[in-house]
């Protein structure tokens, strides 16, 4: 059976939650492979709204195994709170339906404190982080001083891990004018949360391998978007992990041969939260209209998203770096009623025409978009479930996007409701 990776192909907030939920009904295993609770997925199911941050989107579907892979950094206190919130909405979560990789690094309170202190102190160029400790947790992972899920089961190991981390963090905190970490309080908090997390811990790599051999359908769920990738995003205004599809393999322990189809989620226009370059950003009435009609506020932070025209250059680039086989185009209905629409087909920089975004931050900030103008449509696309339900100009817009990004549309989403989806290519088909 085919295994599918879902990645955001812009700066995040593309509508991955609905698409993952739509696909998860037909999957057996749903795995998160990177990011932390800075991710925000909103699911609307039969009128009920679920807002997930750490939990895989599959938890709202019965009979599925949801997996948090080792590529994630996990705030255990937030996870327990989120589990209780979802349970209160009638969703049952147990060790039979949720597994956390034993080698998953933990986000500690000291990570959030460091994250916020750095952002406050940085008057030169703020990154625009969520302040939830994701970046510092990843730093500790590669610095080999993380506390991991497995460490919660052995007190001597836990103390050793904490002591190693504090050598680093206390020095940093002194430099930022923060008090040194209360070691006893941190250990007490970890000893308290450990028994709540341990029942979910397991060898995810082994379970994933067995699921693949048994022919079970696996859905890999990414967070954020490829333009926030630590290597291929608009550095330094990026997240602290690899977001592109290749991370699905290393972030769960599944070999790359286990990936059969990569689905890139793409919004019919472009948005971004936080700082960093944004070539097609609009500061006029059209930008305001996109934000209002698209309800462009972050699920996690509530921050207003910056809005702009569709950037085919960036999406073509992310489709290449993630090996996207097909895209799911979302929020087409937000464009209803525009007399004309613009698509960015290239950039200009110092008189030179570019068909990609340069890697240097200084150059990224100075590129200007080259636009192609298309006619809009007055009829509604909201709720369309077949191509015949779409206005002709809307179909032309979608087809032009396919041409420019050199990748076909596999799914077309026309509202937040999961059934308002036009299926062109089934990602799970062999």
């Amino acid at each position: 059976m085919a295994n599918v990776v879902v990645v955001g192909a812009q700066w995040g907030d593309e509508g991955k939650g609905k698409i993952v939920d739509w696909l998860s009904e037909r999957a057996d295993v749903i795995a998160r492979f990177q990011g932390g609770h800075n991710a925000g997925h909103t699911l609307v199911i039969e009128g009920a709204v679920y807002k997930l941050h750490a939990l895989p989107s599959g938890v709202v579907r019965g009979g599925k195994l949801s997996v948090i892979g080792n590529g994630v950094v996990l705030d255990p206190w937030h996870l327990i709170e989120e589990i209780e919130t979802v349970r209160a909405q009638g969703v049952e979560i147990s060790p039979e339906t949720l597994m956390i990789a034993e080698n998953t690094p933990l986000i500690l309170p000291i990570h959030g404190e460091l994250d916020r202190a750095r952002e406050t102190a940085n008057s030169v160029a703020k990154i625009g982080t969520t302040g939830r400790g994701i970046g510092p947790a990843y730093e500790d992972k590669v610095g080999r001083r993380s506390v991991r899920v497995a460490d919660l089961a052995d007190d001597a190991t836990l103390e050793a891990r904490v002591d190693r981390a504090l050598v680093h963090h206390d020095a940093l905190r002194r430099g930022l004018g923060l008090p040194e970490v209360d070691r006893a309080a941190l250990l007490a908090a970890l000893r308290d949360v450990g028994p709540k997390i341990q029942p979910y811990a397991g060898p995810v790599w082994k379970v994933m391998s067995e699921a693949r051999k048994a022919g079970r359908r696996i859905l890999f769920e990414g967070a954020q978007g490829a333009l926030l990738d630590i290597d291929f995003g608009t550095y330094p205004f990026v997240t602290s992990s690899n977001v592109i599809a290749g991370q699905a393999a290393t972030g769960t322990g599944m070999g790359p041969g286990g990936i059969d189809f990569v689905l890139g989620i793409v919004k019919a226009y472009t948005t971004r939260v936080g700082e960093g370059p944004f070539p097609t950003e609009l500061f006029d009435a059209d930008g305001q209209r996109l934000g209002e009609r698209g309800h462009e506020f972050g699920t996690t932070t509530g921050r207003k998203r910056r809005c702009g025209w569709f950037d085919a250059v960036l999406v073509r680039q992310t489709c290449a770096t993630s090996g996207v086989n097909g895209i799911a185009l979302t929020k087409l209905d937000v464009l209803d009623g525009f007399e004309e629409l613009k698509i960015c087909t290239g950039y200009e920089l110092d008189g030179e025409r570019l068909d990609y975004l340069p890697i240097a931050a200084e150059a990224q900030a100075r590129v200007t978009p080259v636009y192609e103008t298309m006619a809009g449509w007055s009829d509604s696309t909201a709720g369309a479930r077949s191509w015949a339900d779409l206005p002709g100009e809307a179909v032309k817009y979608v087809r032009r996007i396919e041409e420019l990004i050199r990748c076909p549309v596999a799914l077309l989403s026309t509202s937040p409701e999961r059934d308002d989806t036009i299926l062109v290519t089934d990602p799970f088909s062999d």
Side-chain angles (χ1 to χ4, degrees), residues 171-201:
L172 278 179
R173 291 168 72 93
R174 286 192 294 270
L176 289 165
L178 298 174
E180 293 188 357
V181 177
D182 185 334
R183 177 181 182 273
L186 177 57
L187 282 168
L190 287 167
R191 288 168 179 145
D192 176 70
V193 80
K196 301 173 185 176
I197 293 293
Q198 277 298 303
Y200 300 102

Side-chain angles (χ1 to χ4, degrees), residues 67 99-101 143 211 245 257 263 279 295 298-300 312 338 343 379 386 397 422:
V67 168
M99 176 178 283
I100 305 169
L263 181 69
H295 306 289
T299 301
T300 299
F338 279 87
I343 299 176
D379 294 336
S386 72
Y397 182 77
I422 300 171

Side-chain angles (χ1 to χ4, degrees), residues 221-400:
E221 176 184 9
Q224 290 91 37
L227 292 170
L228 296 174
D229 185 271
I230 188 67
D231 288 308
F232 293 99
T234 49
Y235 190 92
F237 304 101
V238 292
T239 193
S240 299
S241 61
N242 285 113
V243 180
I244 60 176
Q247 178 64 18
T250 52
T252 60
M254 171 75 76
I259 298 171
D260 300 299
F261 192 98
V262 178
L263 181 69
I265 314 301
V266 178
K267 196 177 289 187
Y269 49 102
T270 311
T271 63
R272 176 167 200 170
V273 171
E275 308 297 324
F278 185 170
T280 66
E281 184 173 10
L282 295 172
F283 302 95
D284 57 10
D286 286 334
Q288 181 75 14
R289 184 178 181 184
L290 287 172
E292 292 174 352
R293 294 201 61 190
H295 306 289
E296 296 297 351
F297 295 91
T299 301
T300 299
T301 63
R303 290 184 292 181
K304 184 178 179 180
R305 297 175 186 138
R306 300 152 65 189
C307 298
W309 295 122
F310 185 84
D311 193 330
V313 182
L314 289 180
V315 175
R316 183 170 64 243
Q317 196 163 320
T318 58
C319 284
T321 55
S322 270
V324 172
N325 301 103
I327 68 165
L329 191 65
T330 66
K331 289 200 166 185
L332 184 67
D333 54 305
V334 173
L335 301 180
D336 293 351
F338 279 87
E339 290 187 9
E340 64 177 30
L341 303 168
K342 293 183 179 180
I343 299 176
C344 176
T345 59
Y347 303 129
E348 285 188 356
L349 178 65
D350 299 331
E352 181 183 358
R353 182 71 177 263
L354 300 177
D355 63 355
Y356 66 96
L357 186 68
I359 202 69
E362 181 274 337
Q364 289 179 349
R366 290 195 300 111
V367 298
T368 57
V370 176
Y371 285 118
E372 176 180 302
T373 301
M374 298 189 67
W377 54 89
S378 56
D379 294 336
S380 174
T381 63
R385 298 185 182 181
S386 72
W387 287 108
D389 295 333
L390 296 175
E393 298 302 332
V395 174
K396 290 179 183 178
Y397 182 77
V398 174
R399 294 305 187 201
R400 185 57 178 150

